[in-house]
Amino acid sequence: MKERYVPENDDPRWPSDDKDTSSAEPKGTKGDGEATVWLPMSGSANGKTEELSVPKVTPESGSWFEPVVEVEDEPDVRETPTPQWSAFAPVTPVEPEKAEELPEPKTVFVKPVQPQHGGGPDWDQFDRGAPTPSRDAGPSRPEPRQELLDQEPPREQRPRRPEQNRVEPPRPAPVPSATMHARPVRIEPTEERFDTEATAGVQQSEPPSEEPPAAPAPKPKRRKRKILVITAVVVLLLLAGMGGASAMPKVSNRLGLPWAPNAPKADIPKPAGISRVLHGPDINGAGPTKDGLAAALAGPAGSADLGTLTGTVVDAATGDVLWDKNSGTPLTPASTTKILVVAAALLSLDHGMQIPTKIVQGADPGTAILVAGGDPSLTSLPLGTDSPLYPGAAHVDDLVAQVKKATGGKITKVQLDVSLFKGPTSAKGWDPEDTAAGNTYMAAVLPVMADGGRNDPKSDHAPRIANPAAALTQKIAGKLEAQAGGTTTAPKDAKVLGEVKSQPLAEFANSLLQLSDNMLADVLARQIAIAKGGEASFAGGAAATTDVLKQAGFDLTGVQINDGSGLSDQNKIPAKVLSEILAVAAAPDGKDSRTAKLRPLLAGLPVAGGSGTLEKRYGDPASAAGRGWVRGKTGTLSGVNTLAGVVLDTDGRMLVFALMSSGSDQNKGRAALDVVAATLHKCGCR
């Protein structure tokens, strides 16, 4: 229990006798040895100031007054009015008229309890405005006025500063005369009562805490509750969505969930050791036998869909001929002619050689001359975009940018020099339609053009332009904001304004073989002729090609070629010539000195079902076994189907083959050739 607060130097003691000291005597007088103090009081009915006598306070007599407790005003907290107490009996507190306004502290006057003995003092004399009773007063006393019991007497209101606002406890009841025989009672705020004598000298508990009770916590807003509800709903929807999505096969497969369709049905096997060392074809084991191979190829090679078939199969490791069917008979090779041209170029030219294209200054500073160097692979695509047809090709925009930089853009005319190539622009044995505008096979063979003469730089089967060199000259003139000025011959010592170069020879040959590009093949044959000092023409290119191959030791008996592309139906090549060149290119390292130079030939061969002209083949069940294993150069003309390349058998042995069909249907003949090559892959053939 907290100790009650007692004012300093104010011990709760009471007078020890019952002498009446309340009689009206002058101020400062003494009656029967007792000093009486008179207190002025205002507010009487007649407007005069009355004096109220109370016993003099001494250390022996004690005090009649209760302390005043100051409490800081809390405007936001509603306080309950303090109940008013009588010195002798409790009364009901007066409630404020309006709950919204905090009432000012006030003193409530209550009617005291009537004493039970007669002849006592009249306690109504202590009411404000009542006369002070005398010692000779009779036993009777007037009734207290009811209005003093029910209403607050008027008093002067003093303005208060905000910091002085306080709540005062109720004033004590009027102090009775010392002659009173009633026993004083101390009333605690808890409504407990104690006799003063019983508590005199006892340590009193402290008054209740002056701090007002804490305001009740505000109720949570409905908005917060709505947010919580919405959040919970969203979470539930997300969980439901995730659960539904995880049940979908694609999602469960990607996440590797236990119920996924592709989940392992058994324990995951232990990892097996692997070797990352790449190795070439088997060259030490036993290869196929002639009898075994003959038995395996008897059916496929005898198909009526092949028409007249010639061919040969060679063991690349030993060079032995394992199967042969009239391989020395010259037949129209079609595009397999390109094998001879690429082989001759690889044997006679540097593999890093690049074909140049220049623009030089003409007779006056405002004239530029496009000097054709024989590169048809220039691309018209913007700088930074590689050609899908000829990877690594030079850009026309690069050439133009160099010229602008060298001249400051002061070019008014662009001329064309195509003097490098000689002779006709089409070869003997070509169909006139092969070079007609709009065909997809070939354009006029000229020493300069963009995109192989196509009108679409991204499509291999795009229509060709009738005069691709003139078209390129016009394009360059337009980029330089100049006019095309026709053909001319550039001076030998002319100032070079710009120069670009093709991809290296090995890459150039790769594009040629993959696409079976006719323009690149005929241009490459002329590059061989130029390197050998011959004429850069169809005849000069064909002669240079055969001369290089003969000088390299190949038997070209029965070979007759009129171009480098194989479009001429007058070309004749025996199958054994094709297989011999390929066998040298596929021979083990170090066995033949020509192998190193010819090896890039194999890299450019299309893969069955995977790239180039074989990409869409080997899809039939009869030939599907060769898919990815067969690599070969195709050849197709009317009534002619040829295929020459390499394949690995089931023992990892590399076999070289050359198959030439004459008089066969294009589609049926191709499919039959694919079956023969696929059989070689499936055959151990011993």
Side-chain angles (χ1 to χ4, degrees):
M1 177 184 295
K2 294 184 179 180
E3 297 180 357
R4 184 179 180 187
Y5 173 78
V6 178
E8 185 178 359
N9 299 324
D10 193 8
D11 295 333
R13 298 180 183 180
W14 301 91
S16 60
D17 56 13
D18 55 357
K19 294 181 180 180
D20 184 6
T21 60
S22 60
S23 58
E25 294 181 357
K27 297 180 183 179
T29 62
K30 294 183 181 180
D32 298 332
E34 294 290 337
T36 302
V37 179
W38 297 88
L39 300 178
M41 298 186 68
S42 62
S44 61
N46 54 12
K48 298 182 180 180
T49 299
E50 298 293 335
E51 295 180 345
L52 175 65
S53 63
V54 295
K56 181 179 181 180
V57 178
T58 63
E60 291 78 15
S61 63
S63 172
W64 287 82
F65 302 101
E66 292 290 336
V68 177
V69 181
E70 293 187 358
V71 179
E72 294 183 0
D73 186 22
E74 294 290 343
D76 295 334
V77 181
R78 296 178 54 186
E79 294 187 8
T80 303
T82 305
Q84 307 300 324
W85 304 93
S86 169
F88 300 98
V91 296
T92 303
V94 179
E95 296 292 338
E97 295 181 0
K98 296 183 180 180
E100 294 78 3
E101 299 180 359
L102 294 177
E104 291 293 334
K106 62 184 179 179
T107 302
V108 179
F109 295 85
V110 299
K111 179 179 180 181
V113 179
Q114 296 294 335
Q116 300 299 325
H117 58 84
D122 185 0
W123 295 104
D124 289 342
Q125 63 182 316
F126 297 103
D127 291 341
R128 293 186 179 182
T132 303
S134 65
R135 292 176 179 265
D136 300 328
S140 63
R141 64 184 180 195
E143 292 295 329
R145 287 175 297 176
Q146 185 65 28
E147 61 271 14
L148 296 179
L149 300 176
D150 299 334
Q151 66 183 9
E152 178 183 358
R155 60 188 179 93
E156 181 179 343
Q157 297 291 336
R158 292 185 180 180
R160 296 182 180 180
R161 291 179 299 177
E163 64 271 13
Q164 292 179 335
N165 290 339
R166 62 183 181 180
V167 178
E168 296 182 356
R171 294 178 180 273
V175 180
S177 172
T179 59
M180 207 152 152
H181 295 283
R183 176 174 295 180
V185 177
R186 180 174 57 84
I187 302 176
E188 293 288 343
T190 57
E191 300 186 8
E192 295 181 273
R193 301 186 181 189
F194 300 93
D195 292 340
T196 303
E197 291 82 356
T199 59
V202 180
Q203 187 177 10
Q204 302 300 316
S205 60
E206 294 181 358
S209 173
E210 299 178 1
E211 297 181 1
K219 295 183 179 180
K221 297 181 179 180
R222 297 182 62 184
R223 181 179 179 184
K224 293 183 178 179
R225 183 178 299 175
K226 289 182 179 180
I227 293 175
L228 292 176
V229 172
I230 294 174
T231 303
V233 172
V234 171
V235 171
L236 291 176
L237 291 176
L238 289 175
L239 292 176
M242 292 174 62
S246 63
M248 300 177 64
K250 290 184 178 180
V251 176
S252 58
N253 287 340
R254 292 290 300 273
L255 297 178
L257 299 177
W259 57 82
N262 65 352
K265 305 303 180 184
D267 295 338
I268 299 176
K270 295 181 179 180
I274 60 172
S275 175
R276 294 186 177 183
V277 178
L278 298 177
H279 57 82
D282 180 22
I283 60 176
N284 298 319
T289 63
K290 293 182 179 181
D291 293 340
L293 195 58
L297 293 179
S303 173
D305 293 336
L306 292 172
T308 300
L309 176 67
T310 64
T312 182
V313 177
V314 178
D315 186 343
T318 63
D320 297 338
V321 176
L322 302 177
W323 181 83
D324 186 281
K325 185 176 183 180
N326 302 321
S327 64
T329 303
L331 293 177
T332 303
S335 285
T336 51
T337 303
K338 296 179 176 71
I339 292 177
L340 274 64
V341 174
V342 171
L346 292 173
L347 289 169
S348 61
L349 303 175
D350 185 274
H351 291 189
M353 181 205 77
Q354 295 175 278
I355 304 172
T357 301
K358 300 178 183 179
I359 293 181
V360 300
Q361 185 173 296
D364 59 83
T367 302
I369 302 174
L370 174 60
V371 180
D375 179 15
S377 68
L378 285 166
T379 179
S380 60
L381 291 172
L383 283 171
T385 303
D386 201 11
S387 171
L389 304 176
Y390 310 129
H395 284 75
V396 175
D397 284 351
D398 186 11
L399 185 61
V400 172
Q402 294 181 41
V403 174
K404 287 183 177 180
K405 183 177 180 180
T407 63
K410 299 178 181 180
I411 297 297
T412 58
K413 182 169 64 174
V414 179
Q415 295 179 309
L416 175 63
D417 182 355
V418 291
S419 60
L420 180 65
F421 286 0
K422 310 296 182 182
T425 58
S426 60
K428 179 183 177 181
W430 285 16
D431 190 316
E433 294 183 357
D434 291 342
T435 57
N439 82 92
T440 60
Y441 299 106
M442 193 59 168
V445 180
L446 297 168
V448 68
M449 63 186 70
D451 307 307
R454 301 174 180 85
N455 62 12
D456 184 350
K458 297 182 179 180
S459 174
D460 179 32
H461 302 290
R464 307 296 173 117
I465 301 171
N467 190 338
L472 177 58
T473 304
Q474 186 68 44
K475 182 185 293 291
I476 292 175
K479 291 178 178 292
L480 292 173
E481 298 181 356
Q483 299 293 326
T487 59
T488 188
T489 301
K492 292 183 179 180
D493 57 351
K495 178 183 178 181
V496 177
L497 302 177
E499 180 180 9
V500 293
K501 294 183 178 181
S502 71
Q503 55 280 60
L505 174 62
E507 298 177 24
F508 191 94
N510 187 286
S511 297
L512 185 161
L513 293 170
Q514 284 287 321
L515 300 177
S516 191
D517 195 287
N518 297 318
M519 182 63 70
L520 265 60
D522 278 312
V523 167
L524 186 58
R526 299 186 186 211
Q527 292 293 333
I528 299 171
I530 292 171
K532 291 298 181 179
E535 183 182 66
S537 62
F538 283 109
T545 297
T546 55
D547 288 345
V548 169
L549 293 174
K550 288 178 181 179
Q551 292 173 6
F554 293 102
D555 183 3
L556 299 184
T557 302
V559 173
Q560 180 181 348
I561 57 176
N562 298 282
D563 59 15
S565 61
L567 282 175
S568 174
D569 58 7
Q570 303 296 313
N571 293 349
K572 302 295 180 181
I573 300 176
K576 70 175 184 178
V577 174
L578 298 174
S579 64
E580 184 180 356
I581 294 172
L582 291 171
V584 172
D589 292 336
K591 182 178 181 179
D592 193 311
S593 60
R594 300 169 295 178
T595 300
K597 288 189 174 183
L598 292 176
R599 192 76 85 191
L601 176 60
L602 300 181
L605 296 176
V607 178
S611 65
T613 56
L614 286 180
E615 181 179 4
K616 297 181 180 180
R617 291 170 61 169
Y618 288 82
D620 296 338
S623 61
R627 190 178 182 88
W629 295 99
V630 175
R631 303 190 69 153
K633 181 68 196 76
T634 60
T636 304
L637 286 175
S638 297
V640 175
N641 291 284
T642 60
L643 182 64
V646 296
V647 61
L648 290 176
D649 68 5
T650 55
D651 296 327
R653 197 83 168 188
M654 180 171 284
L655 304 178
V656 177
F657 63 89
L659 305 171
M660 305 182 73
S661 172
S662 178
S664 60
D665 177 77
Q666 179 174 317
N667 294 328
K668 292 181 179 180
R670 286 178 176 179
L673 290 177
D674 293 345
V675 172
V676 174
T679 302
L680 294 175
H681 168 66
K682 296 186 295 183
C683 179
C685 301
R686 295 191 181 91

